[in-house]
Amino acid sequence: MKRFLPTSLIARIALLVAAALFVAQAINFGLLLHERQKARFALVIAPATTRLADAAERLLILQREMPRQPGAAKNQFLSDPRTHVRLHTQNPFAGETDRRRPDVERDLRRGLEDAGLHAGSIMAALRPVKPERLLDPKLDPLRAERLRRMGAEMLVAVELPGKGWLTLATPWPRSEFDLIWQLAAQTLILYVVVLVPVLLVGGRIARPLRTLTDAARTFRPGDDTAPIRERGPSDVRALIAAYNALSRRVTSMLDEKDRMLGAIGHDLRTPLQALRVRIESVEDEDDRARMADTVDEMSRTLDDILSLARLGRPSEPNTDVDLGALVDAVVEDFRDLDHDVRFEEPERLKMRLRPTLMRRAVRNLIENAVKYGGGAEVRLIAETERVTIEVCDRGPGIPPEKLDLVFNPFTRLEQSRNRDTGGIGLGLALARAIVNDAGGTIALGNRDGGGLTATITLPR
C-alpha cells in the first residue's frame, strides 16, 4: 500500500473496509453462537433433561413398589438402551471438576424444575472423545458414530436427595473453537475477495494521483516538460487535464512577464545610458562624480529588481561546479578591493547548481558582512547529506525579532536613504530566492560576542 500513497485516502478506505468486514463478522459470530446455544439446548440439554426426569420418576415408582431392591436391580429397572441413565450411590464424575460447564448445569436445573423434579447438586462436565473409545467393541456402533461426529461427550450427574446420583453420558457438539476457526477462515476469504479488488481499484486511482502530486511538487515554469498523460477514472483524468491546462497558463503568464520585464529594462537602461553620456559634459568634477554614482546606483537597483523578478525563470542551466572554487573566487574579488575577508579553501567539492546565481547570493552575504562588520569570515563545511556556507562578521548584529523580517524585499534596518549605509533592501531577499531555487535554506543568527552569521545550507 505504501507504493501507492502512504496514509492516504486509499489506505484509509482499505482500513475502513477491513474494519467493516471485521465488525460484520463479529456480529455474524454473535448470531451464530446464539443459534449454536439454542441448537445445543434443543438437541442435547432438553432430551437429557427429559431422560433424567423420566429416570427419576421410574426410581420413585421402584422405591414405592420394591423398596428393598438392591442397586443392581434398580439399575436394571432404570436401564434403557436409548437413555443410558444409571443410578449411583456416589458421584462417579467427581474427578472431572476441571471440565465443568456451569452454563449447562444452570440449563439442566431449569429444565428439571420445569419437569417438576427438585434435584440437589448437579454436575455437568465436557470430556473429549478419545479415538480408543470409539474402537471399544462394547460401544454401540450408532452411538460410536454419533460420538465421532459430535467430537465430545457431556457427563451429567444429578443428585436425588436420599436416593443417590443419576448419571448420564450424552454426545456433545464440537466446542466454539471450531466455530471461531470456521469464521476466521470465512473472514480471510472475505478479505481476499473484497480487499484485493479495493486495493486494485485504489491503485488505479493512486498511481495517476501520485504522478500528479510529483509533477505539482517539481513544477518549474519553462522546463518544457511534457504534459502528464491522462489516465485513471474519469474524475482523475479531468483533474490531470485541468492541471495540464493550468501549467500552460502559468507558463504563458510568466513568458509574458519576462517579455514585459525585458521591455522595461531596455526602456530604462536607454535613458540611463544617455544620462551617463551627458554627465561627461558637466565641468564640475564633484558634481559629475555624484551624478555618475547616482546613475550607477539606479543601474544596480534596476539589475537587482529584474534579477529578483526573473528568478522563477532563470535562464542559466544547472551545471557541475566546484563549490569551493566558486566561493574562493567571490572572496578574491573582495580581497582585490582590500577588504578583510578570510577563507580557507577546502578540498574539491563538486555540486550541481546555477553558478552565476549562487555566486551572487554568496557575494550579497559577504558584501553585507563587509559593510556592517568591516570584514568577513567565510567557511565551507561539507557533510554527508548537505553542504553549509557560513559568512560571519563582528558587526552590530540584528535584533532577534527581525532576523526573518530582513529577508523581505525593500526591508532596511537602517532608516536612512543612503545606499552605502543601508542599501535598498534587496540583497538578502535575492540571496534567499536564489538559495530556495537551489533547494536549500538560508538563515541568520547572532554570534556570541557580537556579530552575525549567515548560513546557506544546500543538499548534496
Side-chain angles (χ1 to χ4, degrees), residues 171-182:
W172 185 260
R174 296 181 184 273
S175 66
E176 283 75 15
F177 289 105
D178 296 326
L179 181 62
I180 293 175
W181 283 111
Q182 180 182 359

Side-chain angles (χ1 to χ4, degrees), residues 36-47 49 107-108 110-111:
R36 174 70 64 91
Q37 292 173 346
K38 290 175 60 178
R40 182 184 66 189
F41 185 86
L43 295 176
V44 179
I45 297 178
T49 303
D107 291 342
L108 285 170
R110 186 169 58 249

Side-chain angles (χ1 to χ4, degrees), residues 49 108-119:
T49 303
L108 285 170
R109 184 176 296 277
R110 186 169 58 249
L112 291 173
E113 289 177 353
D114 292 342
L117 178 61
H118 298 283

Side-chain angles (χ1 to χ4, degrees), residues 322-333 335 343-346:
D322 183 355
L323 186 59
L326 183 148
V327 175
D328 185 62
V330 177
V331 171
E332 286 299 324
D333 291 340
R335 288 175 177 171
F343 176 64
E344 183 179 348
E345 184 177 355

Side-chain angles (χ1 to χ4, degrees), residues 153-174:
E153 190 175 27
M154 181 60 67
L155 307 177
V156 179
V158 177
E159 181 186 16
L160 300 178
K163 302 180 180 66
W165 290 76
L166 289 178
T167 63
L168 172 66
T170 183
W172 185 260
R174 296 181 184 273

Side-chain angles (χ1 to χ4, degrees), residues 118-376:
H118 298 283
S121 298
I122 296 179
M123 177 182 176
L126 183 64
R127 181 175 65 184
V129 178
K130 296 181 180 180
E132 54 268 20
R133 174 106 191 284
L134 299 176
L135 300 177
D136 188 356
K138 297 180 181 180
L139 187 65
D140 182 69
L142 294 178
R143 182 175 176 81
E145 175 61 23
R146 192 179 179 200
L147 286 174
R148 183 192 64 77
R149 188 174 65 255
M150 292 290 194
E153 190 175 27
M154 181 60 67
L155 307 177
V156 179
V158 177
E159 181 186 16
L160 300 178
K163 302 180 180 66
W165 290 76
L166 289 178
T167 63
L168 172 66
T170 183
W172 185 260
R174 296 181 184 273
S175 66
E176 283 75 15
F177 289 105
D178 296 326
L179 181 62
I180 293 175
W181 283 111
Q182 180 182 359
L183 287 176
Q186 293 178 2
T187 304
L188 181 61
I189 294 173
L190 280 177
Y191 278 1
V192 172
V193 172
V194 176
L195 284 183
V196 169
V198 168
L199 291 177
L200 291 177
V201 173
R204 186 169 178 262
I205 298 174
R207 278 189 289 269
L209 286 178
R210 186 166 180 260
T211 302
L212 179 61
T213 302
D214 294 338
R217 185 180 295 115
T218 59
F219 174 71
R220 291 292 183 275
D223 282 352
D224 295 330
T225 55
I228 304 176
R229 183 166 67 91
E230 299 177 12
R231 56 176 180 165
S234 58
D235 293 340
V236 177
R237 291 199 303 270
L239 177 61
I240 295 175
Y243 170 81
N244 289 333
L246 177 63
S247 63
R248 288 193 296 268
R249 289 197 300 270
V250 170
T251 301
S252 299
M253 291 172 61
L254 291 177
D255 289 339
E256 182 63 26
K257 184 203 72 170
D258 288 344
R259 286 192 291 270
M260 181 185 68
L261 291 175
I264 291 174
H266 179 270
D267 291 345
L268 290 179
R269 283 194 179 94
T270 299
L272 285 175
Q273 292 299 326
L275 284 175
R276 192 71 176 81
V277 172
R278 289 177 182 273
I279 288 172
E280 299 301 325
S281 62
V282 177
E283 295 180 358
D284 189 295
E285 292 184 2
D286 292 338
D287 289 341
R288 185 169 62 248
R290 285 195 295 270
M291 295 171 68
D293 289 341
T294 301
V295 172
D296 292 339
E297 179 182 347
M298 293 175 65
S299 297
R300 288 193 297 270
T301 301
L302 178 61
D303 289 339
D304 287 345
I305 293 174
L306 292 178
S307 296
L308 186 61
R310 288 174 172 170
L311 197 58
R313 298 284 301 276
S315 58
E316 182 185 24
N318 282 313
T319 56
D320 293 329
V321 297
D322 183 355
L323 186 59
L326 183 148
V327 175
D328 185 62
V330 177
V331 171
E332 286 299 324
D333 291 340
F334 283 92
R335 288 175 177 171
D336 292 341
L337 298 175
D338 294 328
H339 293 301
D340 182 17
V341 180
R342 294 187 296 275
F343 176 64
E344 183 179 348
E345 184 177 355
E347 298 180 357
R348 181 177 177 83
L349 183 60
K350 185 178 180 181
M351 296 284 290
R352 187 169 183 81
L353 42 78
R354 295 183 173 94
T356 302
L357 291 176
M358 188 56 61
R359 189 180 295 111
R360 188 163 190 175
V362 176
R363 181 185 297 112
N364 287 354
L365 297 182
I366 298 177
E367 183 178 336
N368 284 345
V370 170
K371 182 184 299 182
Y372 298 107

